[in-house]
Amino acid sequence: MSNIIPQTIGQQYGRRSWAEPWKIKMVEPIRMIGRQEREQALQAAGFNTFLLRSEDVYIDLLTDSGTSAMSDRQWAGIMMGDESYAGSRNFYHLEEAIQTYYGYRYIVPTHQGRGAEHLISQAAIKKGQFIPGNMYFTTTRLHQELAGGTFVDVIIDEAHDPASQRPFKGNIDLDKLQALIDEKGAANIAYISLAGTVNMAGGQPVSMANVRAIHELCGHYNIRVYLDATRMVENCFFIQEREEGYSDKPITAILKEFCSYTDGAWMSAKKDNLVNIGGWLAVNHEDVFEMARNMVVVYEGLHTYGGMAGRDMEALAIGIAESVEDDHVHARVNQVRYLGGLLTEWGVPIVQPVGGHAIFLDAKRFYDHIPQDQFPAQTLAAELYLDSGVRSMERGVVSAGRDPKTGDHRYPALELTRLTIPRRVYTQAHMDVVAESVKAIYDVREQTRGLKMAYEPQYLRFFQARFERL
Ligand code: F0G
């Protein structure tokens, strides 16, 4: 296994430079408002970037979710929407695309990822069961908890260390998983919740060897493995780059093989699949499918649209095929790495190695004088917006929420601020502006003070919490 990670496609193929495999046909104007207006906007938003108006944002790196640019083919597909209530031809196109590229048997469409998380959690978790997984994700864990389950993190220790250069920091630690099965008993494990890549760990991938081993271990105990496929295409890029035997395999083949070791997947199509809205659940077993297909009509919509319009499903079916093209995936991940490369060169602490969808600033090291209960990552997101109108997101103690048993803050080892790169949206010049702004606030870091929480909602508090300067 190679530990040398080429930083650009140019290095990988021996070319001097590389460029995106598309050109721009339509543009959306953006502008940077003045510093005084940014200060006002930030105050009005309670220092929470989720509460800013997008018109007050210059470069929007809040999320890669639903923010992709669609292709001319996808927009043409929008015109081909079949808006019949039942049996829309766009549903069958979508079903075929998922079966072709991911390889699962039964498909249930949903309005977005958390709709699918709700269905799988309710269909596959019995009260009191445990769900081991490779680090939590906010909405995923909440749906597991609402179904009466308890999520248990069994990711390898290195995933919690932002400086570790391990190539597959998203892997499950098989010893931790075995120990949990031994302790709780296989019957008390609902399923394995495996995400590729791992968002909260910095977009870190899972290796093919790891999923194969999980599949074998779980086969022995009759425990099912469900995949959060939200950024699985990006995960396949890292397998192609870093895992022996995969460098000459196309992304499509790697994706199909990976999914074949799992029993189903839920998907936020707003990420990898290149659409602005949409999601799906796909499973191989009829029992779970039956339940999910029945529940979808209660919570989402009929089982041939699940909350999406016909045109949304058409754009999604086309987006799936585009998302697995090698050129697309290479350009996507390498743009993220371009930004990571600049920041690394300038000595800014970020999670290494750079993952698939975002740069994660290591707020604990960035602001080493701000204690975690004064929200260093939230502070960093606020300061970055103030400096340049660049919007980022907290992924630290605010996102981690409170322990449902003790009611205390959960203090995650990783206290990060995420610069998430939308797909096919920004240019290299935008990345330069972002890097320069991060450097500017890093240079004055010692003068920066933390925040205190002024309002805290009950669920997923990071979306709506408000803060004040200390
Ligand atoms: N799983 C992962 C790994 C995600 O990153 C997300 C969403 C979901 C599930 C839920 O999907 O938003 O379509 O309901 N992540 C977004 C983000 C919100 O910004 O990382 P959804």
Side-chain angles (χ1 to χ4, degrees):
M1 196 177 296
S2 160
N3 276 323
I4 300 160
I5 298 157
Q7 290 301 308
T8 68
I9 275 201
Q11 276 170 270
Q12 197 173 338
Y13 294 126
R15 290 203 308 260
R16 279 185 61 210
S17 201
W18 65 281
E20 288 79 2
W22 39 259
K23 56 183 177 175
I24 297 165
K25 185 179 301 209
M26 193 184 284
V27 297
E28 178 182 344
I30 53 175
R31 70 186 179 110
M32 196 203 291
I33 59 173
R35 181 159 181 118
Q36 212 180 347
E37 287 170 282
R38 293 200 298 275
E39 178 70 48
Q40 281 167 4
L42 192 63
Q43 292 278 356
F47 293 84
N48 185 345
T49 50
F50 278 104
L51 301 178
L52 288 167
R53 288 173 179 242
S54 70
E55 284 187 338
D56 294 337
V57 171
Y58 177 41
I59 298 173
D60 202 346
L61 306 186
L62 182 72
T63 177
D64 61 332
S65 183
T67 53
S68 296
M70 291 207 294
S71 68
D72 51 359
R73 280 169 222 164
Q74 285 177 291
W75 278 107
I78 291 275
M79 293 305 296
M80 301 301 287
D82 167 8
E83 308 303 343
S84 311
Y85 188 88
S88 160
R89 69 167 170 264
N90 310 123
F91 168 73
Y92 297 103
H93 188 187
L94 171 60
E95 184 180 55
E96 192 190 326
I98 298 166
Q99 287 165 342
T100 302
Y101 293 108
Y102 292 84
Y104 300 114
R105 208 164 296 152
Y106 304 114
I107 315 300
V108 181
T110 62
H111 78 284
Q112 62 181 77
R114 68 200 74 177
E117 289 172 342
H118 176 215
L119 299 182
I120 188 74
S121 302
Q122 294 293 331
I125 299 171
K126 291 194 201 84
K127 241 193 169 72
Q129 282 189 319
F130 296 88
I131 308 101
N134 51 347
M135 202 175 274
Y136 84 101
F137 183 71
T138 52
T139 57
T140 316
R141 181 176 65 190
L142 181 59
H143 277 296
Q144 291 164 350
E145 288 173 353
L146 291 172
T150 303
F151 176 83
V152 184
D153 188 6
V154 291
I155 202 166
I156 58 170
D157 288 339
E158 288 85 348
H160 299 282
D161 173 8
S164 161
Q165 286 282 353
R166 281 276 290 265
F168 290 104
K169 279 165 79 173
N171 280 356
I172 279 183
D173 183 326
L174 292 160
D175 293 334
K176 287 187 195 171
L177 179 57
Q178 181 71 64
L180 185 78
I181 297 171
D182 292 345
E183 187 195 327
K184 307 292 182 192
N188 291 317
I189 308 289
Y191 56 84
I192 311 296
S193 181
L194 180 71
T197 58
V198 182
N199 192 354
M200 303 300 274
Q204 304 296 330
V206 177
S207 71
M208 193 71 86
N210 193 242
V211 71
R212 211 181 285 125
I214 295 163
H215 170 72
E216 266 169 38
L217 178 69
C218 290
H220 185 72
Y221 292 103
N222 233 344
I223 298 170
R224 289 179 187 169
V225 181
Y226 289 116
L227 177 68
D228 182 337
T230 297
R231 298 184 184 85
M232 192 56 223
V233 170
E234 289 162 10
N235 195 108
C236 293
F237 168 88
F238 292 112
I239 291 174
Q240 188 185 56
E241 178 185 79
R242 299 175 189 174
E243 198 161 354
E244 211 171 310
Y246 290 94
S247 64
D248 56 358
K249 291 216 167 83
I251 295 291
T252 47
I254 299 170
L255 181 62
K256 204 72 173 279
E257 181 184 342
F258 197 102
C259 293
S260 76
Y261 300 124
T262 68
D263 298 290
W266 66 87
M267 180 74 181
S268 171
K270 302 170 71 172
K271 283 83 164 177
D272 261 3
N273 287 171
L274 298 168
V275 287
N276 304 122
I277 192 73
W280 45 265
L281 176 68
V283 294
N284 287 337
H285 291 100
E286 213 169 333
D287 54 345
V288 190
F289 174 57
E290 272 263 347
M291 279 182 77
R293 189 176 55 168
N294 196 198
M295 265 191 313
V296 79
V297 301
V298 181
Y299 295 105
E300 303 278 316
L302 195 75
H303 58 276
T304 55
Y305 75 87
M308 283 181 280
R311 55 181 174 270
D312 297 334
M313 292 190 284
E314 190 59 29
L316 173 50
I318 297 166
I320 289 174
E322 290 181 359
S323 75
V324 296
E325 285 171 13
D326 285 68
D327 280 353
H328 160 70
V329 193
H330 288 193
R332 191 281 184 282
V333 178
N334 279 296
Q335 183 180 40
V336 178
R337 283 175 174 179
Y338 172 79
L339 177 58
L342 285 180
L343 293 173
T344 305
E345 212 176 295
W346 297 346
V348 177
I350 64 171
V351 173
Q352 302 282 358
V354 171
H357 67 300
I359 299 302
F360 290 75
L361 302 169
D362 184 356
K364 272 190 188 166
R365 276 188 291 157
F366 200 103
Y367 289 137
D368 57 10
H369 60 293
I370 300 180
Q372 205 169 4
D373 63 1
Q374 293 175 13
F375 313 111
Q378 189 79 33
T379 304
L380 212 170
E383 290 298 324
L384 183 63
Y385 172 74
L386 206 55
D387 183 71
S388 61
V390 171
R391 174 154 67 172
S392 58
M393 182 197 292
E394 194 264 5
R395 294 275 86 154
V397 64
V398 184
S399 294
R402 291 183 185 272
D403 187 304
K405 287 205 187 81
T406 66
D408 297 334
H409 288 308
R410 293 193 254 221
Y411 289 99
L414 297 177
E415 176 74 22
L416 310 174
T417 304
R418 188 180 74 171
L419 305 168
T420 337
I421 317 299
R423 295 164 186 79
R424 309 193 291 203
V425 171
Y426 291 115
T427 65
Q428 193 154 314
H430 290 114
M431 297 301 111
D432 288 337
V433 169
V434 172
E436 285 163 16
S437 178
V438 172
K439 178 70 165 64
I441 61 166
Y442 188 57
D443 288 344
V444 297
R445 60 191 177 277
E446 275 144 30
Q447 297 148 36
T448 307
R449 277 167 296 132
L451 297 167
K452 66 171 191 241
M453 206 184 282
Y455 164 68
E456 179 176 357
Q458 189 183 354
Y459 299 113
L460 302 173
R461 62 181 183 175
F462 55 95
F463 283 131
Q464 291 154 344
R466 301 183 69 84
F467 302 84
E468 285 164 9
R469 268 206 191 96
L470 278 172

